[in-house]
Amino acid sequence: TMALSSRLMMAGSRIPSISLFTSAIRTFTTKAPSKLIIPSSRKFASGSSHGGHGSMPDKVYPVSSFSTEGILGTLFGLGKTTTTLPADYKVDPALLMQPATKVTTLKNGMRVASETSKVGTATVGVWIDAGTRYESPEINGAAHFLEHLIFKGTNKRTQRQIEQEVENIGAHLNAYTSREQTVYFARSLKEDVPQVTELLADILKNSKIAPDAIDRERDVILREMQEVDKIPEEVLFDYLHSSAYQGTPLGKTILGPKENILSLKREQLKAYVDEHYKPHRMVLVGAGDIEHAQLVKLAEEHFGSIPACASGRTAMDYCAETPAFLTGSEVRIDDDYMNEAHIALAYETCGWSHADAPVFMVMQAMLGVWDRAQGTGDVTSNGLAAGLAKTSDAVKHMAFNTSYTDTGLFGVYVVGRGDDLDDIGEEVLYNTTTMCFKVNESALHNAKNMLKTTMVAQLDGTSATAEDIGRQLLVYGRRIPLAEMFARIDSVDANAIKRVANKYFYDRELGVASMGPVDSFPDYNWLRRRTYRLLY
């Protein structure tokens, strides 16, 4: 069978996958599980808070001998404010058996990354550091539009030939767009990897972006927009972004406004590709039954001809020129025809690579997910779930932690019904503000275990692994091993939670979005007053 489709992944408009974090170490040895190896090369994007470019000799650390200064303080460089691990902390040797992620940089700046596992199939894709954020208001929607057009024919293949070729080898070809990234990938049998790699190169380098194809896709995207508008959660998070990030690049929607979809021209789309589809902002990823040397050879053959970018501007450079930041605000869509009220409250947080990022991961797990239809909530260590379970108007909640290059949103999405929605707002803000003063140790322990389980479960399959590699190479410049991820999680204690909560939550502005029958939901000033308290 053949699957040729475009799927919308609206980063920030749905509960995101667990965000990760950054540091200098890239991989662990798989041959000596009692040691930790730091590769000699470590590079960061221009403008990174980690400092300049440079190199260091290989270092080997026995995992059984980390001191209090150890695994985080010495190796991972989270900074002085980061809680260190206990002196007797040991890395589980099983985690060190994770296959290494190998990375090679071509002469034009394009990176090639792979993780090999003998499973008979492989996923190959191109992750591009370009998304909605890098569009001007006049062409908002261009990145998503290109996601549709890229498969509509090249100078070498017609649309029909592309579809037929994919179907003949039983491959799956797909793409998605987010606010900061665009991805094109394919999954196939291992023997077809050279063919799908060449196909990906062809559609990225030689797509016609024909005027007649553009006109046909306008209606397709408008129908997609209608389908997205039927999903309250999607709509609400778009409203949250447009209000909280008003006047900044992250305030734009991924699909763009209807008028742009109807008016975008070939010249505008081509200009966007020429500016942002640069090799130093691309990562060719292979996961599964493929050798790194083979993937590098394919990359040099099919992507090596892309000229290097003369300016060398990175995505971080664009972000520095037009930074995103939260404006305390509220957007309210009062619709009494809806059966339930949908509410999102968010604080501004840090970017992907900030030292506080792992703490937010744990805090998200602590606030967690709850649904009245699946449990009462009175037997959980989750304080928010227990509180909402006693609030008759609450139906369900989900904590979210959405990260971008230079900012992020952390908060809670709640669904409720009834005339006392102020109780929901009170409960959410009580629990987030309480983190500033006290932390339930049992809930913290459970959250860490839940987070670790989620991380491992998310790496099930070659496509999931490729997604993890591609995203991390773009946001961190490297792949973070599970051993390091777990160490970072284990380093988060009650003091770290309180420190970060005080820094980002206590008496801070909110981004608020609500829609549905929300007459009884309190206004912004009422909510803002509950971001701090004198007694606890």
Side-chain angles (χ1 to χ4, degrees), residues 110-111 126-128 277-284 306:
M110 186 175 189
R111 286 166 292 175
V126 179
W127 271 253
I128 308 172
Y277 283 29
K278 299 295 186 182
H280 70 288
R281 293 172 64 182
M282 295 181 179
V283 181
L284 177 66
I306 302 176

Side-chain angles (χ1 to χ4, degrees), residues 394-430:
V395 175
K396 61 182 179 180
H397 91 271
M398 290 181 288
F400 59 88
N401 177 31
T402 305
S403 295
Y404 298 105
T405 299
D406 55 349
T407 183
L409 290 177
F410 180 98
V412 179
Y413 163 66
V414 190
V415 177
R417 61 168 68 97
D419 298 325
D420 295 315
L421 296 178
D422 57 331
D423 292 342
I424 291 177
E426 177 79 39
E427 194 63 43
V428 171
L429 293 174
Y430 172 80

Side-chain angles (χ1 to χ4, degrees), residues 166-206:
V166 172
E167 183 175 4
N168 288 343
I169 62 175
H172 297 259
L173 189 61
N174 214 332
Y176 67 85
T177 308
S178 70
R179 283 184 164 83
E180 290 192 330
Q181 296 175 12
T182 302
V183 179
Y184 303 95
F185 66 98
R187 187 173 73 251
S188 71
L189 295 172
K190 64 176 183 178
E191 55 265 27
D192 297 317
V193 165
Q195 186 174 348
V196 297
T197 304
E198 188 275 330
L199 175 60
L200 286 169
D202 188 33
I203 63 176
L204 283 171
K205 295 191 301 180
N206 306 311

Side-chain angles (χ1 to χ4, degrees), residues 74-385:
T74 301
L75 302 189
F76 304 143
L78 291 180
K80 295 181 180 180
T81 58
T82 300
T83 304
T84 57
L85 289 164
D88 59 349
Y89 182 83
K90 295 183 179 180
V91 176
D92 183 351
L95 294 175
L96 300 179
M97 302 307 293
Q98 180 185 5
T101 300
K102 299 179 180 180
V103 181
T104 299
T105 302
L106 304 184
K107 292 181 179 179
N108 60 5
M110 186 175 189
R111 286 166 292 175
V112 183
S114 70
E115 179 184 301
T116 303
S117 56
K118 301 298 183 180
V119 293
T121 63
T123 296
V124 179
V126 179
W127 271 253
I128 308 172
D129 219 344
T132 307
R133 176 173 191 158
Y134 309 106
E135 301 166 347
S136 65
E138 296 75 19
I139 63 166
N140 180 204
H144 177 255
F145 212 126
L146 285 164
E147 173 199 322
H148 283 252
L149 287 173
I150 211 79
F151 301 118
K152 304 307 177 186
T154 69
N155 298 329
K156 180 180 177 180
R157 296 174 172 93
T158 64
Q159 178 180 346
R160 181 179 179 83
Q161 287 173 326
I162 293 174
E163 295 174 357
Q164 200 166 38
E165 183 175 344
V166 172
E167 183 175 4
N168 288 343
I169 62 175
H172 297 259
L173 189 61
N174 214 332
Y176 67 85
T177 308
S178 70
R179 283 184 164 83
E180 290 192 330
Q181 296 175 12
T182 302
V183 179
Y184 303 95
F185 66 98
R187 187 173 73 251
S188 71
L189 295 172
K190 64 176 183 178
E191 55 265 27
D192 297 317
V193 165
Q195 186 174 348
V196 297
T197 304
E198 188 275 330
L199 175 60
L200 286 169
D202 188 33
I203 63 176
L204 283 171
K205 295 191 301 180
N206 306 311
S207 182
K208 285 185 175 181
I209 313 181
D212 58 335
I214 294 174
D215 290 335
R216 287 196 303 270
E217 287 305 305
R218 298 189 200 278
D219 290 335
V220 175
I221 296 174
L222 289 175
R223 287 196 297 272
E224 181 180 346
M225 180 180 290
Q226 292 173 351
E227 293 301 315
V228 171
D229 286 345
K230 295 177 183 178
I231 307 173
E233 184 182 332
E234 302 281 4
V235 176
L236 183 71
F237 275 82
D238 270 346
Y239 278 128
L240 176 64
H241 276 73
S242 65
S243 178
Y245 286 125
Q246 57 186 277
T248 75
L250 288 178
K252 299 189 291 289
T253 63
I254 292 176
L255 271 70
K258 182 178 179 180
E259 53 268 26
N260 282 11
I261 295 172
L262 293 174
S263 63
L264 277 170
K265 296 178 174 59
R266 182 184 188 277
E267 293 74 20
Q268 294 172 307
L269 296 171
K270 190 68 168 57
Y272 179 87
V273 170
D274 292 341
E275 180 176 1
H276 296 290
Y277 283 29
K278 299 295 186 182
H280 70 288
R281 293 172 64 182
M282 295 181 179
V283 181
L284 177 66
V285 177
D289 213 334
I290 180 173
E291 296 296 331
H292 185 68
Q294 177 192 11
L295 188 62
V296 171
K297 183 177 179 181
L298 290 170
E300 291 174 338
E301 180 181 353
H302 301 299
F303 292 94
S305 61
I306 302 176
C309 178
S311 67
R313 292 181 71 192
T314 65
M316 195 167 290
D317 293 329
Y318 284 93
C319 294
E321 292 172 6
T322 52
F325 50 86
L326 182 143
T327 298
S329 57
E330 176 190 12
V331 56
R332 182 184 298 243
I333 311 300
D334 198 349
D335 184 355
D336 291 335
Y337 289 101
M338 295 178 66
N339 294 325
E340 297 174 326
H342 297 260
I343 302 161
L345 299 96
Y347 297 91
E348 183 177 20
T349 62
C350 55
W352 288 99
S353 61
H354 196 280
D356 293 332
V359 184
F360 283 112
M361 295 168 55
V362 176
M363 293 168 74
Q364 179 191 1
M366 289 181 68
L367 295 178
V369 178
W370 168 80
D371 192 327
R372 187 177 297 278
Q374 298 178 0
T376 61
D378 58 358
V379 294
T380 178
S381 61
N382 186 325
L384 179 57

